[in-house]
Amino acid sequence: MTLGRNDLCWCGSGKKYKSCHLAFDQKIDLFRDKGHIVPSHDIIKSKEDIEGIKASAKINIACLDYVAEHIRAGISTQDIDDWVSKITAEMGGIPATLGYEGYPKSCCTSINDEVCHGIPSEDVILQDGDIINVDCSTILNGYFSDSSRMFIIGETTPEKKKLVEDVKKAVEIGLAEIKPWRFLGDMGSAINEFCKSQGYEVVVDIGGHGCGLEFHEEPWVSYVSKPGTEMLMVPGMCFTVEPMVNLGRHEIFQDEDNGWTIYTEDGSPSAQWEVQIVVTEDGYEMITY
Ligand SMILES: [Zn+2]
């Protein structure tokens, strides 16, 4: 970085560097010098970016709110995809998954032992006792939003119900650790410790991600990390908190036929909630849920 103090700041604010992000960059340099992983400027969102991401998020939240009101036993997961597709289009957005690396649908619907990336299908009919994650992501004017929620269909077993509730709690425990100038590992380890205390295992091989100007940006976010490790969190960073938590062992495998769906290796149920946040000057702000 060779910006002079009186040059315009890299963030696009139109202010001089010395009265905008100079102190911010100097603080990041201190952490870099100590050997920490620090964010690059291209993942720091401007105020304008955050407004754009929030507008996209309105569509994402509307889709999941609609699913919450209408999901029930007897519908197919294709019905869910149709709702998401219709609402997103009506509100002027584009489902981010549709066509992403060849993915064929507008959302993901992952049931019971499916960890993530379940593909909606007319042949998959929701049954009483199922637990299902519906994961939506939206593009609006080039801005990306992403979140997922769990739904219990009718009555399920006490173990599956507790898993669903506990993973939501795990996300809240992780969110409480999100503060600027602390580390992603502080958040990840808080989630992992809570899940372990309840006898669960957190999926190791798939994590969260930066999101906003791209669907998947830096950093990759682990939920089994250690305090004081992983990337430094700074204001303007936007990423997902989305632990995948298994009732049994953490190992997973991918469906060889469709190339997408991830299952638990031991067949145990899995649950996930996903929110997207932006780090602020004193904590975080929720963007999607
Ligand atoms: Zn600036």
Side-chain angles (χ1 to χ4, degrees):
M1 184 57 60
T2 52
L3 271 186
R5 296 174 54 81
N6 290 313
D7 291 338
L8 291 180
C9 188
W10 53 262
C11 76
S13 65
K15 293 184 200 166
K16 286 183 178 175
Y17 186 45
K18 65 182 178 189
S19 53
C20 195
H21 276 92
L22 175 60
F24 173 93
D25 282 343
Q26 286 171 339
K27 198 161 178 182
I28 287 179
D29 285 343
L30 290 177
F31 284 94
R32 184 190 286 110
D33 291 346
K34 285 187 217 161
H36 289 293
I37 304 166
V38 299
S40 58
H41 288 163
D42 56 359
I43 62 166
I44 309 300
K45 273 63 181 173
S46 67
K47 279 205 177 84
E48 186 189 5
D49 292 336
I50 293 165
E51 290 313 308
I53 298 165
K54 283 182 179 172
S56 171
K58 271 190 189 159
I59 301 175
N60 218 66
I61 293 165
C63 288
L64 287 173
D65 283 349
Y66 188 92
V67 172
E69 278 178 38
H70 295 85
I71 196 166
R72 64 184 189 279
I75 66 157
S76 74
T77 50
Q78 181 60 49
D79 291 329
I80 298 170
D81 199 71
D82 291 343
W83 300 338
V84 170
S85 176
K86 183 165 180 283
I87 293 163
T88 305
E90 281 172 358
M91 295 179 74
I94 301 165
T97 56
L98 189 61
Y100 178 80
E101 293 183 0
Y103 185 81
K105 298 289 176 177
S106 299
C107 63
C108 297
T109 50
S110 307
I111 302 174
N112 299 326
D113 66 328
E114 294 175 345
V115 175
C116 63
H117 305 161
I119 302 178
S121 164
E122 289 174 356
D123 300 329
V124 178
I125 308 298
L126 295 184
Q127 313 282 340
D128 199 51
D130 282 343
I131 58 171
I132 177 174
N133 174 277
V134 179
D135 194 339
C136 286
S137 43
T138 304
I139 315 170
L140 178 71
N141 301 325
Y143 292 106
F144 290 76
S145 57
D146 189 0
S147 57
S148 78
R149 300 182 202 167
M150 292 298 297
F151 302 99
I152 295 173
I153 307 303
E155 290 251 330
T156 194
T157 63
E159 290 79 11
K160 282 159 86 174
K161 184 168 185 280
K162 183 174 184 303
L163 176 70
V164 169
E165 291 166 353
D166 283 347
V167 180
K168 187 168 195 189
K169 201 168 163 189
V171 169
E172 286 158 8
I173 288 167
L175 287 172
E177 300 299 317
I178 298 180
K179 298 180 180 83
W181 315 108
R182 292 186 55 198
F183 300 92
L184 283 175
D186 301 340
M187 182 269 290
S189 68
I191 288 175
N192 192 33
E193 290 306 317
F194 172 72
C195 290
K196 283 200 299 191
S197 77
Q198 301 303 308
Y200 310 131
E201 290 196 10
V202 177
V203 170
V204 175
D205 297 334
I206 311 178
H209 53 94
C211 184
L213 306 182
E214 304 282 346
F215 190 4
H216 297 110
E217 302 173 353
E218 289 290 309
W220 187 78
V221 183
S222 167
Y223 307 104
V224 293
S225 39
K226 299 273 185 290
T229 70
E230 307 289 329
M231 191 178 281
L232 178 71
M233 296 187 279
V234 304
M237 264 172 80
C238 190
F239 57 86
T240 64
V241 179
E242 52 170 320
M244 299 169 200
V245 183
N246 300 347
L247 192 58
R249 302 268 305 157
H250 72 82
E251 287 86 354
I252 54 176
F253 70 95
Q254 188 174 50
D255 191 308
E256 283 180 13
D257 295 326
N258 71 26
W260 282 102
T261 309
I262 305 292
Y263 301 86
T264 58
E265 184 83 52
D266 62 8
S268 66
S270 185
Q272 177 187 32
W273 294 81
E274 177 182 16
V275 299
Q276 180 181 355
I277 63 92
V278 60
V279 180
T280 60
E281 294 295 335
D282 55 3
Y284 70 92
E285 184 181 357
M286 189 95 88
I287 289 184
T288 64
Y289 53 88

